């Protein structure tokens, strides 16, 4: 029986509705009227609604249906991706997509009749979704047979983790160079070609696993390996050997989620057996990435309403089949939360640090705790720079701290450390701390609980602890509270912290450049503060001090409770108290850092820090206000907290020295702060860049001219036949260019996606780009070196201009300390090298790098590999060269696919 609903497809080339075997092209107004009157089958409702100019579009979204029927399975959210998972033929053009959506819906709805591995739990979830009036539910409940026995509740069928004895310290061993080379040969395989650079790289990487010769003197190896060397297997060879022989874990740290996924795939060569690999290799991320089962239970039992409640049910379906519970970059489709406009998705993770650890009824099944315990027993732990630093600085896992690290994407260590070791005394930060301490206040929803509720048993047992909790709750009343931003803007702050923020706002507006432009954030140095700011600082410091003291006191009382070990302190209670001690410790450290920052107001500046005031704004709306402090050199705390306790670390990247010398590279990773100098290694890429790529500097596109910039991007993308990554230094210009060229390119069969325009997460945008060789993608800094698209899908990189660093207060201070204009040049060279690195990812790739800036200084062009042809040409010639170099290559691509 055919489905009783029409299907709607909207692209940049037109809008179509399929109904009763007919397909009609319709106007935007007609499509909106039809969608408002009749439920329609669509694919990615937020994207279709954006293209219609109808933000309230709702209907039967095929992506939601897929998430229900095939949880934890990957799909590119495009017609091509849908054709792949359903086995249907891809329509030849956009006009055929609407009837294709109807056929795809029927094929997906037939899933329950087939051999369906995700059947368990589906009937119960469908009943709940029916009560929530989910659009697909009526069609599903008729097709799902009621099980003979009641289906198990999600929280009863998730497996429990096992507690294990502490792992012994790693043994002291020395790797045999011949064994390292043999392991590399085994991982690479017999059929692979010999790569001398990779063998030399593996030998150099092995030095990081040698026994340490002195306390706080790690064996630090800096290894720059050009694209194509094969550095992943190059360091996995000695890492896996050392871990097996020494009995200790190696933490491989990355900066991007894409590399984390790639590393997980590469470890299959080390551990081919899937069951063994699950034990030996664990991917770790921060707590805020994982599904919190207690938050999910609250959402399923009425904590969420409307569309957020539907999302919770779909996440529950996924939770029953996920490999690790990772909601951000794991096997939860990145596009799923965006379908709900992220309504509720963040509330399903532990973003507020409210975990009660063993006090949680789902503690033994917790995805976060499972990952922590699995990593303690693993040989290879795939983490990220931020998590490594957080764990070293304030982690609960000090007993299992690794002794060996590999920092891949090592050129990002400076930026990661800069974020980790910074201090921000802002309204948003203080209100989060208030909520963590005080708990629910008037009008708040959800399961949030304050300190008193989380530690009620301790309070009833220990009088000193109870008093410390009461003092902390009382002192927290002085922090910013709900509505603070409006009160501060209106000049009616409440309490000492809001008064301080009001003074910060007033002084920032008085002194910051560009205050008249409401679209951008404002900042000014914390120098020569106004009398109002100085006057507000003292009461604020007093309020924070009155909060700091009970937090410290409570931590000590909890430690005393652990020492006394009362009868009620069983294993779970002990774990909960230990977790509370860790949470209190880092929050007390945060308040202490705020006190230190306030002491700077009216006081002397520190040579170690850069301090400033800021009003954060986006598109004319203020969203935060506060004081900020960053280390002038954030690698100092990184070296102290992470590197010095380690026995060995490999820092590696394809662009480690890009933009500077080895001395610069060492300074960017903290090597000068160690007693022992690092080992340096460098291997050039085996790729023939001179033959496979060229760089064109366009000389006749006027800077800041959006129409001219749009014309250049459009013509270049057409000349390349798609496959273009366009990089921008400003979101406003990105949006302006996209608006002018998207329709034109779509009519040529060249889909165009864009960050900050399409309501799709960045990871999914890259997946779509990779999947369609005729697609192009516009983005900002996040895409400059976060995209790994080998092959035909990326053949042209276009930068709108020289990526000069933004002239912030922090940058100005580092520029002054780092050599003035030479410091800027190093940053630009590194950024251009990283962007060029997106272009040639395999020996068969070819491509063109275009810089739309006539004012590009020649001194910066040595950022590109030696021998790459570089020419300054007008736009017409650049287009001809792109077409000449890439047109024959483009002919090898697939036939044009419909726009996503």
């Amino acid at each position: 029986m055919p489905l009783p609903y029409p299907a709607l497809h909207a692209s940049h080339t037109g809008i179509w509705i399929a109904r009763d075997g007919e397909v009609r092209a319709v106007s935007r107004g007609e499509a909106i009227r039809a969608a408002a009157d009749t439920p329609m089958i669509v694919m990615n409702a937020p994207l279709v609604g954006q293209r219609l100019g109808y933000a309230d579009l709702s209907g039967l979204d095929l992506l939601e249906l897929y998430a229900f029927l095939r949880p934890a399975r990957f799909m590119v959210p495009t017609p091509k991706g849908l054709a792949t998972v359903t086995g249907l033929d891809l329509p030849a053009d956009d006009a055929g997509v609407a009837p294709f959506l109807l056929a795809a819906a029927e094929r997906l709805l037939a899933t329950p009749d087939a051999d369906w591995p995700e059947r368990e739990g589906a009937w119960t979830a469908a009943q709940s979704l029916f009560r929530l009036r989910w659009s697909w539910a009526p069609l599903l409940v008729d097709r799902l047979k009621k099980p003979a026995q009641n289906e198990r509740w999600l929280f009863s069928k998730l497996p429990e983790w096992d507690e294990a004895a502490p792992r012994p310290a790693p043994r002291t061993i020395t790797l045999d160079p011949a064994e390292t080379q043999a392991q590399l040969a085994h991982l690479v395989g017999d059929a692979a070609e010999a790569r001398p650079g990779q063998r030399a790289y593996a030998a150099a990487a092995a030095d990081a696993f040698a026994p340490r010769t002195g306390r706080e003197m790690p064996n630090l190896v800096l290894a720059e390996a050009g694209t194509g060397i094969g550095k992943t297997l190059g360091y996995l060879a000695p890492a896996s050997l050392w871990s097996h022989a020494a009995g200790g874990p190696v933490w491989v740290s990355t900066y991007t989620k894409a590399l984390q996924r790639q590393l997980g795939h590469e470890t299959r060569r080390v551990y081919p057996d899937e069951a063994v690999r699950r034990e030996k290799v664990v991917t770790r991320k921060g707590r805020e990435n994982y599904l919190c089962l207690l938050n999910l239970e609250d959402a399923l039992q009425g904590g969420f309403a409307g569309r957020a409640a539907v999302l919770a049910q779909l996440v529950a379906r996924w939770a029953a089949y996920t490999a690790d519970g990772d909601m951000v970059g794991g096997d939860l489709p990145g596009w799923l939360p965006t379908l709900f406009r992220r309504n509720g998705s963040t509330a399903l993770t532990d973003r507020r640090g409210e975990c009660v650890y063993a006090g949680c009824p789902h503690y033994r099944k917790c995805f976060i705790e499972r990952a922590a315990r699995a990593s303690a027993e693993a040989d290879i732990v795939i983490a990220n720079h931020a998590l490594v630093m957080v764990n070293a600085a304030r982690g609960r896992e000090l007993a299992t701290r690794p002794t060996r690290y590999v920092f891949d994407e090592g050129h990002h260590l400076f930026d990661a450390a800069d974020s980790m070791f910074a201090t921000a005394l802002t309204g948003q930060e203080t209100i989060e701390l208030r909520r963590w301490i005080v708990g629910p206040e008037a009008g708040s929803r959800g399961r949030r609980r304050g300190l008193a509720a989380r530690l009620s048993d301790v309070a009833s047992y220990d009088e000193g602890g109870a008093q410390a909790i009461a003092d902390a709750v009382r002192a927290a009343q002085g922090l910013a509270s709900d509505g603070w931003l409006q009160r501060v803007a209106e000049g009616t702050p409440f309490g000492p912290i809001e008064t301080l923020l009001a003074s910060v706002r007033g002084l920032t507006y008085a002194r910051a450049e560009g205050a008249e432009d409401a679209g951008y954030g404002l900042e000014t140095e914390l120098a020569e503060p106004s009398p109002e700011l100085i006057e507000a600082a003292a009461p604020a410091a007093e309020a924070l001090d009155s909060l700091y003291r009970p937090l410290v006191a409570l931590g000590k009382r909890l430690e005393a409770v652990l020492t006394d070990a009362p009868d009620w302190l069983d294993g779970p209670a002990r774990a909960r108290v230990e977790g509370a001690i860790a949470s209190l410790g880092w929050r007390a450290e945060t308040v202490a850092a705020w006190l230190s920052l306030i002491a700077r107001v009216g006081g002397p500046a520190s040579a170690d820090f850069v301090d400033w005031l800021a009003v954060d704004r986006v598109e004319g709306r203020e969203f935060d206000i506060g004081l900020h402090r960053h280390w002038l050199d954030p690698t100092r705390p990184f070296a102290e907290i992470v590197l010095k306790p380690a026995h060995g670390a490999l820092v590696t990247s394809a662009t480690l020295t890009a933009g500077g010398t080895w001395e610069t590279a060492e300074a960017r990773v903290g090597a000068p702060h160690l007693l022992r100098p690092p080992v340096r290694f460098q291997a050039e890429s085996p790729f023939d860049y001179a033959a496979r790529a060229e760089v064109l500097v366009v000389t006749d596109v006027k800077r800041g001219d959006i129409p001219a910039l749009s014309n250049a991007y459009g013509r270049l993308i057409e000349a390349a036949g798609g496959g273009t990554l366009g990089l921008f230094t400003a979101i406003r210009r990105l949006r302006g260019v996209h608006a002018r060229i998207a329709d034109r390119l779509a009519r040529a069969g060249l889909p165009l996606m864009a960050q900050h325009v399409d309501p799709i997460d960045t990871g999914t945008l890259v997946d779509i780009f990779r999947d369609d060789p005729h697609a192009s993608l516009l983005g900002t800094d996040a895409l400059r070196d976060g995209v790994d698209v080998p092959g035909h899908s990326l053949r042209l990189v276009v930068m709108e201009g020289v990526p000069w660093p933004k002239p912030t207060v922090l940058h100005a201070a580092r520029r002054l300390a780092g050599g003035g204009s030479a410091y800027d040049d190093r940053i630009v060279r590194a950024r251009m090298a990283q962007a060029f690195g997106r272009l040639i990812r395999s020996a068969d790739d070819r491509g063109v790098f275009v810089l739309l800036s006539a004012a590009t200084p020649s001194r910066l062009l040595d950022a590109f590999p030696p021998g790459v042809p570089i020419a300054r040409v007008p736009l017409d010639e650049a287009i001809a060269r792109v077409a000449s170099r890439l047109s024959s290559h483009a002919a090898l691509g697939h036939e044009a696919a419909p726009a996503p």
Side-chain angles (χ1 to χ4, degrees):
M1 178 179 176
L3 294 174
Y5 302 106
L8 169 67
H9 175 63
S11 77
H12 287 288
T13 62
I15 306 167
W16 294 267
I17 292 178
R19 184 199 310 259
D20 300 328
E22 297 183 0
V23 182
R24 287 193 310 117
V26 298
S27 67
R28 180 177 284 108
E30 184 179 354
I32 293 173
R33 288 192 296 274
D37 292 339
T38 307
M40 298 230 179
I41 293 174
V42 297
M43 186 174 189
N44 197 334
L47 181 63
V48 174
Q50 178 176 286
R51 289 176 175 172
L52 293 178
Y54 181 44
D56 295 330
L57 175 72
S58 61
L60 293 91
D61 197 325
L62 284 164
L63 296 181
E64 294 180 28
L65 178 62
Y66 182 85
F68 177 89
L69 293 170
R70 301 182 182 178
R73 289 209 230 172
F74 176 76
M75 184 185 78
V76 179
T78 62
K80 181 182 177 183
L82 188 58
T84 300
V85 299
T86 58
L88 296 172
D89 292 332
L90 182 66
D93 53 32
D94 273 336
V97 172
F100 164 77
L101 296 182
L102 287 173
E106 292 178 346
R107 181 67 61 89
L108 286 174
L109 287 169
T111 298
D113 295 331
D115 184 14
W116 186 26
E118 296 95 352
R119 178 180 298 278
E120 185 178 11
W123 184 86
T124 303
Q127 302 304 311
S128 298
L129 286 164
F130 187 86
R131 290 190 292 272
L132 292 170
R133 299 185 179 181
W134 184 46
S135 301
W136 287 107
L139 294 172
L140 281 169
V141 294
D142 292 338
R143 289 168 167 80
L144 292 174
K145 183 179 179 182
K146 183 177 181 179
Q149 297 180 332
N150 288 338
E151 293 179 315
R152 289 183 297 165
W153 176 232
L154 166 70
F155 304 99
S156 65
K157 66 183 178 183
L158 287 174
E160 295 188 352
W161 47 261
D162 295 321
E163 198 72 69
R167 190 173 186 174
R171 295 182 291 277
T172 301
I173 65 155
T174 300
L175 293 179
D176 185 318
E179 290 184 4
T180 300
Q181 294 300 319
Q183 175 74 339
L184 176 63
H186 170 70
L187 297 183
V188 170
D190 297 334
E193 61 183 82
R195 289 196 274 184
Q198 187 181 45
R199 293 199 296 270
Y201 177 90
D207 288 343
F209 299 94
R212 187 171 67 171
T213 59
R215 188 171 180 269
E216 297 189 344
M217 293 174 60
N219 299 305
L220 180 62
V221 178
L222 306 186
E224 183 172 78
T227 306
I229 287 293
K231 67 179 186 298
T232 303
L233 295 181
Y235 61 66
L236 283 178
S240 57
L241 273 182
W242 180 87
S243 181
H244 176 74
V250 177
W251 278 49
V252 181
S253 178
T254 74
Y255 191 70
T256 62
K257 295 181 177 69
L259 184 56
Q260 275 193 312
R261 287 195 296 268
Q262 180 183 326
L263 277 168
H265 179 75
E266 293 283 8
T267 56
R268 288 182 169 86
R269 296 181 182 243
V270 185
Y271 307 105
D273 183 272
E274 187 66 23
V276 173
R277 194 179 69 84
R278 280 197 297 267
E279 292 184 3
K280 298 292 187 180
V281 181
V282 173
T283 297
R284 284 288 304 275
K285 295 181 181 178
R287 301 182 64 86
E288 69 280 359
N289 289 272
Y290 295 93
L291 173 67
C292 170
L293 293 175
L294 192 56
N295 284 351
L296 177 62
E297 183 181 35
D298 176 65
L300 295 175
Q301 294 184 343
F304 282 14
R307 288 282 290 162
V310 173
L311 173 62
Q313 290 290 339
L314 295 179
V315 169
R317 281 283 290 155
W318 162 80
Y321 298 95
T322 177
D324 55 11
D326 178 7
M327 291 188 67
V328 186
D331 53 15
L332 180 77
W335 41 258
L336 182 59
T338 65
L339 301 180
F340 297 82
R341 296 169 177 82
R342 299 205 173 274
N343 183 14
S345 62
T346 56
L348 294 175
T349 61
D350 179 28
R351 291 183 178 271
R352 301 188 183 110
E354 294 180 318
C355 181
V356 293
Y357 299 98
C360 174
H362 309 302
Y363 181 65
R364 299 286 301 186
K365 300 179 179 184
C366 174
F367 291 117
I368 304 168
E369 295 296 328
R370 182 189 309 282
R373 280 156 180 79
S375 65
E377 299 299 319
D379 286 357
I380 305 292
V381 178
I382 303 171
N384 56 62
H385 298 343
L387 178 64
V388 166
M389 295 178 197
V390 167
N391 266 19
R394 58 186 186 219
R396 298 170 58 227
E397 304 161 36
L398 296 180
T400 57
R401 172 181 284 188
T403 62
R404 297 299 193 288
Y405 294 101
V406 174
F407 292 102
D408 205 337
E409 299 180 303
H411 59 281
H412 280 300
L413 278 174
F414 186 95
D415 294 331
D418 193 29
S419 297
M420 169 61 202
F421 300 110
T423 298
L425 172 50
T426 72
Q428 296 287 8
E429 293 292 325
T430 59
I431 199 171
E432 277 302 314
L433 180 59
R434 176 193 179 107
R435 290 167 177 169
W436 183 80
I437 294 170
V438 175
E441 296 186 81
S444 62
R445 295 181 57 191
R447 68 167 189 86
R448 182 191 298 277
R449 295 195 294 165
L451 269 182
R454 292 198 298 271
L455 296 174
S456 57
D457 49 0
V458 174
S460 63
Y461 170 78
D462 182 79
E463 184 177 350
Q467 185 61 51
I469 292 171
D471 291 344
V473 171
R474 189 180 308 109
Q477 304 294 334
L479 299 174
S481 60
D482 290 336
W484 71 272
L485 195 58
Q486 182 176 352
R487 288 193 295 273
V488 166
E490 293 173 349
T492 57
F494 178 78
I497 298 300
E498 291 186 16
T499 301
L500 175 71
L501 297 175
S503 300
V504 167
R505 182 180 185 273
L507 187 56
T508 303
Y509 269 96
R511 294 182 179 174
E513 295 294 329
E516 69 284 349
D517 184 350
Y520 298 92
L522 302 174
E523 61 178 36
T524 187
E525 290 181 84
L526 179 51
E528 302 297 331
S530 64
E532 291 80 7
L533 183 59
I534 294 174
E535 185 178 351
E542 184 178 344
L544 291 177
D545 183 65
S546 67
L547 175 60
Y548 174 74
R549 286 183 280 108
L551 291 180
V552 173
L554 179 57
K556 291 179 178 178
R557 294 310 308 166
L558 293 179
E559 290 174 353
V561 168
L562 289 182
T563 302
D564 292 344
D567 293 341
W568 56 267
L569 194 71
D570 54 10
R574 174 175 287 275
R576 181 168 52 82
V577 172
E578 289 173 346
I581 291 172
S583 296
L584 281 165
W586 72 260
R587 284 176 170 82
E589 290 175 7
T590 298
V591 177
W594 289 349
L595 283 166
S596 177
L597 180 52
I598 289 182
R600 166 71 176 85
V601 178
S606 169
D608 294 332
F609 299 104
V610 182
D611 305 324
W612 70 95
L613 315 175
V615 176
D616 295 318
R617 305 186 297 185
V618 59
E619 296 181 351
R621 181 180 62 86
E622 293 181 16
F623 63 89
D624 207 1
I625 301 167
L627 301 90
H628 297 262
R629 164 169 283 183
H630 281 233
W631 283 83
L632 184 64
D633 177 8
T635 67
R636 278 184 56 187
F638 169 69
E640 196 68 33
I641 294 171
V642 180
L643 291 181
K644 286 185 178 180
H647 289 223
L650 168 68
V651 180
T652 187
S653 167
T655 56
L656 205 57
T657 62
T661 62
W662 271 112
E663 287 72 22
T664 303
E666 291 180 3
R668 298 280 294 180
V669 302
H673 306 301
L674 302 177
L675 295 175
R676 178 176 177 174
V679 173
R680 299 172 178 175
F681 173 83
Q682 192 166 22
E684 298 295 335
S685 171
F687 298 156
D688 186 357
Y689 288 111
R692 310 297 296 183
E694 67 177 321
V695 175
L696 303 176
V697 181
V698 175
T699 58
D700 57 351
V701 175
K702 186 178 178 182
R703 177 178 174 83
D705 186 336
I706 299 296
L709 198 62
S710 303
N711 175 61
Y713 267 98
R715 292 180 64 193
L716 286 165
I717 292 171
E718 287 172 336
T724 300
L725 177 64
L727 298 174
F728 290 76
T729 56
I731 295 174
R732 179 173 54 85
R733 289 194 290 276
L734 182 158
R735 288 173 171 165
V737 169
H738 179 273
R740 284 171 168 81
I741 67 174
D743 290 358
R744 158 185 162 186
L745 292 175
R747 287 191 292 271
L750 303 174
L752 180 68
M753 290 86 62
Q755 269 187 312
H756 310 290
V757 175
D758 293 315
I760 303 174
D761 65 291
T762 300
T764 299
L765 286 174
V766 174
D767 289 336
I768 296 171
F769 179 44
R770 182 186 294 111
D771 195 51
D772 184 352
H774 293 283
S776 295
L777 175 61
L778 305 183
T780 53
D781 279 358
L783 295 182
R784 191 180 59 240
D785 62 343
V787 175
D788 187 12
V789 181
H792 180 61
S793 289
L794 203 175
R795 50 192 177 272
L796 174 65
V797 173
V798 183
M799 295 190 78
E800 60 150 331
V802 178
W804 296 109
K806 187 178 178 182
T808 63
V809 171
L810 180 60
H811 171 72
R814 288 176 176 162
R815 184 180 190 272
L816 183 64
S821 61
Y823 178 78
D824 286 346
D825 288 355
R826 290 195 296 271
I827 292 175
V828 172
R829 286 193 188 97
R831 290 177 176 177
M832 290 169 63
Q834 290 154 12
F836 181 87
R838 303 306 94 206
L839 195 59
I840 307 296
R841 307 297 291 171
S842 68
D844 296 328
D845 285 357
R846 69 170 70 180
V848 181
F849 186 98
V850 177
L851 192 56
L852 298 174
S853 175
T856 304
S858 297
R859 68 179 185 275
L860 300 178
L861 299 179
D862 59 1
F864 304 109
V868 172
I870 301 174
R872 294 180 182 268
V873 297
L875 178 61
D876 287 345
E877 185 176 342
I879 290 166
R881 289 200 185 197
V882 167
S884 173
R885 179 176 284 269
L886 301 181
S887 59
S888 61
H889 194 47
L892 301 175
H894 306 297
E895 293 302 313

